[in-house]
Amino acid sequence: QVQVVESGGGLVQPGGSLRLSCAASGFTFRNYGMNWYRQRPGKQRELVASITSGNNLSYAGSVTGRFTISRDNAENTVYLQMTSLKPEDTAVYYCDVKVSGFNYWGQGTQVTVSS
């Protein structure tokens, strides 16, 4: 069955960096685009970054220049490198893939940016 598992969150000071990982299984990873979403406290879930099977990248305006999405098809893993973190980046970050018309999410990983 399709499964995605996020990891790498934590507490970081403003200006710091974190790298999130999403390990995927149950589908042919290299053939699918992958997405990172986040849900900030009191807000709706929002798309942060996407990477297609062909490595085309896109980002939300609020993270452009600070976050980088990448993938390792040999490891079936997608990453989100986050730099210059701000308190407003505090959120639960989720990995997402759409397979056969269904969206699959992980349990999320908490990122807290605070001094």
Side-chain angles (χ1 to χ4, degrees):
Q1 69 278 21
V2 176
Q3 191 172 18
V4 292
V5 179
E6 304 94 339
S7 62
L11 173 64
V12 62
Q13 291 188 341
S17 299
L18 277 176
R19 189 177 81 156
L20 306 184
S21 300
C22 170
S25 60
F27 62 101
T28 307
F29 179 79
R30 63 180 180 273
N31 291 345
Y32 288 85
M34 300 293 296
N35 306 298
W36 282 100
Y37 283 78
R38 69 184 179 188
Q39 187 160 18
R40 293 184 278 185
K43 304 283 189 181
Q44 289 189 327
R45 196 173 293 191
E46 60 179 342
L47 180 62
V48 174
S50 298
I51 183 167
T52 68
S53 58
N55 276 332
N56 291 311
L57 313 179
S58 61
Y59 299 95
S62 58
V63 307
T64 298
R66 300 188 298 122
F67 290 12
T68 303
I69 188 171
S70 62
R71 64 191 298 155
D72 185 336
N73 289 340
E75 296 293 330
N76 287 359
T77 300
V78 61
Y79 301 98
L80 187 67
Q81 178 69 49
M82 306 186 295
T83 63
S84 301
L85 282 161
K86 305 175 181 180
E88 51 265 40
D89 295 318
T90 294
V92 179
Y93 284 74
Y94 298 91
C95 179
D96 159 80
V97 63
K98 190 169 186 177
V99 178
S100 299
F102 292 94
N103 285 91
Y104 293 87
W105 305 86
Q107 81 290 347
T109 186
Q110 175 71 48
V111 171
T112 301
V113 184
S114 175
S115 55

